Amino acid sequence: MDNSLINYTLHLADTTLILSQRNSEWCGHGPILEQDIAITNISLDLLGQSRNFYQYAAQLINFSKHSEAKVSPSGGDLEGASEDSLAYLRTEREFKNLLLVELQNGDWGQTVLRQFFFSQFQYLLFEQLQQSKDEQLAAIAAKAIKETTYHVRWSSEWVIRLGDGTDESHQRMLHAIDELWRYTGELFEAAEYETAMGIDLAAIKQKWTEKVIAVFDEATLPVPENSFMQLGGKKGVHTEQLGYILTELQYMQRTYPNSNW
Amino acid sequence: MSLHDFDQLFQSKIDQEIKIEPKDWMPDAYRKTNIRQISQHAHSEIVGMLPEGNWISRAPSLKRKAILMAKVQDEAGHGLYLYCAAETLGMSREQMIDDLNSGKAKYSSIFNYPTLTWADMGAIGWLVDGAAILNQVMLCRTSYGPYARAMVRICKEESFHQRQGFESLLVLSKGTAEQKAMCQDAINRWWWPSLMMFGPKDSESTNSDQSMKWKIKRKTNDELRQQFVDMCVEQVKLLGMTLPDPHLKWNAERGHYDFGEIDWNEFWNVVKGNGPCNKQRLAARRKAHEEGKWVREAAAAYAEKRKTASLNPSKGGTLAAA
C-alpha cells in the first residue's frame, strides 16, 4: 500500500481539527447567545469528523507497520498510532490542513465567510467521497455530509445577512473577502495524494464557484477577479499561525507524555 | 377583591403547592425576587462558560476536548432557557444582559476563580456542579412554574456533567504522580469556594425567610451546604484524595460531618468584586457584547429588509430568522 490513503486521510483529519480549534475560540464570546451555541455546535461536528478521520488513519498506519511498509516520509514516531498521537504529537511540517482553516478568526464576518468557503467545498467533496471505493472514507463522508449540509445553510445565511445588512456589515464583509479569498485557490490545487485518490477537484471547483457567485449575488457582495493564490498547507508549508495553534493544542500531551486522560 | 385578598389567594396557592404562572397575580416583591434570582442564575451559566472555555483549546485528548466543548455549550443552553423563564416576568433579555455588563446584576462568585490546570475541569464538574445541583434539585420544585420547569431540564444535564467531572478526576487519581498531584491541588483550591456557593450562613442571609415562605427556596443555605459536605466526604474516598479541612469529622449526635469555618472575609471580598477574576470575567462579557453589536444590528437590518420584501412577492426571500 502506498501512503496516499494515509496522507489523504490525515489531510482531512488535520483540516477539520484545525477549523474546529479555531471556531471553538468563539465559545463563550459569540455576538449573541444563540450564535455562540451554533458556532460551538459546528466546532463539535468538525471535531467529531476529525476524530473519525484520525482513527481511520491510525488504523491504516498501524496496519501498514505490521506489513513493514514505509509510512510517513515526514517521519515522526508513529509507533502505535492513535487519534491522539496523530493530533497531538505531529509537528507543523507534518500537518496537512488547508491554509484557509488556520487563519485567525478575525471578526464574526470573517469567521462565517471562512466557514462558508470551507463548508461549501466540504459538501461537494463529501458528495464525491461518499462514492469512494474506500469504504471507510465513504462511510465517514456519508455520515458527515448531513452536518455539512447544515453548516452550508447556516454560513450562507450569515454571509447574505451581513453582506446585505448595514453599511458597516457590508464593509466588514468586503474586508473579510480581501483577507480570505487568496486562500481559496488551495482548495482546488491537488496534492499528489489527492490525485492518487482520484478526487476530481476540477469538478468541485466549478460547482463551488457557481454556489459562491449565487450567495455573493444575494449578499450584494462582489466576487473577486482571479487573483494570486497562496498554497502550501496540503504539503505541510503553513502560515506562521499554525505553530501557535499547535503549541496550545498540544500543550498537555507534550508536557505530560505517556499519560492517560 | 382587595390587595389583601389577592395576597391571601396567592399565598394559599403556594401553600397548596399550586405553581404560580406568568399571568397569575403575584406580589411585586415575589416578581422582583424571581427576576433577580432567575436572571442571576442565567448570568452564572453564561459567565460560567468562561473559566471552562479557558481549557477548550488545551484539552489533553480529543475525547476530553469534545466533552468539554459540549459541556460549555450546554451551559449556554441553560442560560438561554433561564433568560426565557425570567422574561416571562416582564424583563427583556437585553435589559438583563445590560445589567450584567454594567455590574448591577450579580452572578455566582465561584466563576471569579481562575482555572489554572486541566484538573480544574474535573474539580469544577465534581464540586462546583455538584454544589449547583443540590440547589437546582430543590429549585425543580420552586413555586414559579417556568423556573421550575427550566430547572427540571437543566438538572438532567447538570448531573451528567457532574459524573463526567468526577470520572475525569478518577482517571487523574489513577495516573502518574504528576496527575495525582494536579488532582489534589485542584480539589484543594476548589473546595472552599464550592462551600461558599451556598451563600451566607442562615443567620446572616437577608433573602432567606421570605423566599422560604414563598417556596422559591425550600431548603436553607446551611442545610444544603451540610448535605454537600456529607456527600463529598464519601466521594473523595473513591478518588483516594483528601478534602483540605482538618476539622472535618463525623458527628454521630448530629448524624452529619462537622466542618471548619469558611473564610467569610474572602467570600464577601469576591462578592464585592475583589476575586481573582471578577474584572476579567466582566471584561470578557462586555467585549463579546460590544464586538457583537454590529452583527446584531446587521441581522436586524436584514430581517427588516426581508419583511419589506416579503410584501413584494417578486423579491421574496427564504432566509430563516437569525
Side-chain angles (χ1 to χ4, degrees):
Chain A
M1 180 170 64
D2 74 15
N3 295 329
S4 299
L5 178 56
I6 292 173
N7 284 333
Y8 184 57
T9 307
L10 284 173
H11 156 70
L12 296 172
D14 292 341
T15 293
T16 41
L17 175 65
I18 299 300
L19 186 53
S20 168
Q21 180 84 355
R22 275 300 192 205
N23 282 341
S24 75
E25 292 171 24
W26 279 104
C27 185
H29 306 275
I32 190 166
L33 201 44
E34 285 83 347
Q35 298 308 322
D36 203 307
I37 294 172
I39 190 86
T40 307
N41 213 33
I42 291 173
S43 191
L44 268 168
D45 286 344
L46 291 167
L47 179 58
Q49 293 172 13
S50 81
R51 292 184 67 190
N52 285 329
F53 289 127
Y54 279 127
Q55 284 162 13
Y56 182 44
Q59 199 183 317
L60 292 168
I61 288 166
N62 293 334
F63 179 78
S64 71
K65 280 259 168 173
H66 277 294
S67 56
E68 303 259 331
K70 198 161 164 258
V71 188
S72 170
S74 47
D77 180 15
L78 298 176
E79 188 69 38
S82 67
E83 59 167 3
D84 286 334
S85 76
L86 293 173
Y88 288 94
L89 300 175
R90 282 157 61 242
T91 64
E92 292 92 325
R93 298 279 284 107
E94 292 170 295
F95 265 70
K96 295 170 179 56
N97 60 278
L98 297 166
L99 297 177
L100 178 70
V101 302
E102 73 195 46
L103 303 175
Q104 275 171 5
N105 286 341
D107 62 14
W108 183 253
Q110 200 168 317
T111 296
V112 299
L113 183 65
R114 178 181 61 194
Q115 193 63 48
F116 169 66
F117 285 155
F118 175 74
S119 295
Q120 192 62 70
F121 168 77
Q122 197 194 38
Y123 179 85
L124 297 167
L125 176 68
F126 283 171
E127 264 189 340
Q128 263 191 36
L129 217 50
Q130 287 184 98
Q131 316 297 326
S132 170
K133 273 178 271 176
D134 187 278
E135 283 178 18
Q136 191 60 33
L137 284 185
I140 298 173
K143 180 168 172 263
I145 199 168
K146 293 173 196 141
E147 297 163 351
T148 308
T149 305
Y150 164 73
H151 305 167
V152 169
R153 201 184 80 200
W154 180 87
S155 59
S156 305
E157 287 174 1
W158 269 110
V159 169
I160 293 166
R161 194 177 285 133
L162 296 180
D164 192 20
T166 59
D167 287 345
E168 181 181 1
S169 70
H170 185 81
Q171 284 304 318
R172 283 175 181 266
M173 289 311 281
L174 293 179
H175 175 73
I177 294 169
D178 190 45
E179 289 292 317
L180 299 181
W181 185 256
R182 80 194 99 117
Y183 295 97
T184 57
E186 190 188 16
L187 305 177
F188 313 106
E189 269 316 305
E192 277 176 33
Y193 49 79
E194 283 171 302
T195 311
M197 290 294 297
I199 307 292
D200 184 358
L201 288 176
I204 295 181
K205 183 177 185 179
Q206 197 195 335
K207 286 188 194 163
W208 183 89
T209 309
E210 284 165 14
K211 295 281 185 188
V212 168
I213 290 171
V215 168
F216 273 29
D217 192 45
E218 202 178 336
T220 69
L221 292 168
V223 179
E225 299 294 316
N226 281 339
S227 59
F228 186 80
M229 290 294 174
Q230 298 290 343
L231 307 174
K234 288 176 177 179
K235 292 180 184 166
V237 181
H238 291 275
T239 67
E240 290 178 347
Q241 299 181 37
L242 185 70
Y244 293 95
I245 297 176
L246 296 186
T247 302
E248 235 178 289
L249 176 85
Q250 300 180 337
Y251 160 66
M252 290 295 290
Q253 291 266 348
R254 300 279 190 193
T255 311
Y256 305 97
N258 306 314
S259 309
N260 290 319
W261 300 100
Chain B
M1 265 179 29
S2 72
L3 191 59
H4 177 70
D5 295 335
F6 276 117
D7 206 31
Q8 271 198 331
L9 182 66
F10 172 81
Q11 188 62 47
S12 86
K13 273 192 194 168
I14 301 250
D15 295 341
Q16 295 169 66
E17 301 289 335
I18 298 169
K19 292 276 180 261
I20 305 303
E21 296 300 334
K23 287 181 180 162
D24 294 349
W25 184 90
M26 62 186 86
D28 278 350
Y30 178 86
R31 184 183 299 274
K32 277 189 193 147
T33 302
N34 266 295
I35 290 178
R36 179 177 55 80
Q37 191 175 324
I38 302 170
S39 65
Q40 266 184 25
H41 192 162
H43 299 329
S44 300
E45 297 281 357
I46 301 309
V47 178
M49 295 169 75
L50 300 171
E52 290 177 284
N54 183 38
W55 277 89
I56 289 175
S57 67
R58 291 174 293 168
S61 71
L62 297 182
K63 180 183 138 197
R64 291 288 171 201
K65 190 190 284 287
I67 290 173
L68 182 60
M69 222 191 286
K71 183 191 171 184
V72 179
Q73 191 195 27
D74 280 349
E75 283 158 9
H78 297 170
L80 207 50
Y81 316 148
L82 288 163
Y83 282 127
C84 292
E87 279 187 312
T88 63
L89 289 160
M91 187 187 259
S92 71
R93 198 206 306 183
E94 233 174 1
Q95 181 62 53
M96 289 184 261
I97 288 175
D98 285 347
D99 286 351
L100 170 68
N101 290 342
S102 72
K104 187 180 161 201
K106 298 276 181 248
Y107 56 87
S108 178
S109 278
I110 192 78
F111 302 118
N112 291 318
Y113 288 87
T115 52
L116 302 180
T117 72
W118 168 253
D120 290 19
M121 299 302 98
I124 288 181
W126 176 42
L127 296 173
V128 175
D129 292 342
I133 287 166
L134 290 183
N135 197 31
Q136 289 167 353
V137 165
M138 166 188 83
L139 288 172
C140 291
R141 294 170 54 236
T142 192
S143 58
Y144 186 57
Y147 193 22
R149 289 189 288 272
M151 289 320 302
V152 170
R153 196 165 160 191
I154 290 173
C155 270
K156 283 183 195 155
E157 291 179 355
E158 288 289 357
S159 44
F160 186 58
H161 295 164
Q162 197 210 7
R163 281 200 298 276
Q164 282 176 333
F166 189 80
E167 189 267 339
S168 140
L169 290 183
L170 199 59
V171 171
L172 296 181
S173 75
K174 291 176 177 161
T176 63
E178 282 162 310
Q179 285 176 305
K180 285 177 187 163
M182 193 189 281
C183 180
Q184 183 63 62
D185 169 64
I187 294 171
N188 293 349
R189 282 182 290 109
W190 289 94
W191 173 248
W192 290 106
S194 300
L195 290 189
M196 294 177 197
M197 285 175 70
F198 298 97
K201 283 188 192 176
D202 295 346
S203 53
E204 314 266 320
S205 179
T206 48
N207 299 316
S208 262
D209 287 352
Q210 185 63 65
S211 287
M212 294 286 279
K213 188 176 169 222
W214 279 335
K215 295 187 182 171
I216 297 174
K217 287 177 72 159
R218 288 169 170 270
K219 287 182 179 176
T220 71
N221 295 354
D222 286 337
E223 282 169 352
L224 288 167
R225 185 161 24 235
Q226 182 69 60
Q227 200 182 338
F228 180 68
V229 170
D230 292 346
M231 186 179 85
C232 292
V233 172
E234 294 308 317
Q235 291 173 346
V236 80
K237 291 176 189 164
L238 299 171
L239 294 173
M241 300 280 148
T242 56
L243 297 173
D245 180 357
H247 300 290
L248 266 179
K249 203 178 155 208
W250 178 249
N251 182 328
E253 211 171 292
R254 292 201 306 125
H256 290 293
Y257 281 91
D258 290 337
F259 55 98
E261 185 65 20
I262 288 168
D263 181 351
W264 294 110
N265 187 37
E266 176 180 323
F267 173 83
W268 288 114
N269 253 316
V270 182
V271 171
K272 282 177 198 148
N274 298 324
C277 299
N278 294 57
K279 265 180 99 74
Q280 291 92 322
R281 300 294 185 237
L282 213 49
R285 285 313 316 156
R286 283 187 191 136
K287 182 165 180 276
H289 193 69
E290 278 158 24
E291 289 181 356
K293 188 165 175 264
W294 73 271
V295 178
R296 297 189 297 275
E297 283 171 356
Y302 181 79
E304 192 55 40
K305 284 186 198 176
R306 287 289 95 173
K307 221 193 290 172
T308 318
S310 67
L311 299 174
N312 173 6
S314 67
K315 223 195 156 220
T318 54
L319 193 63

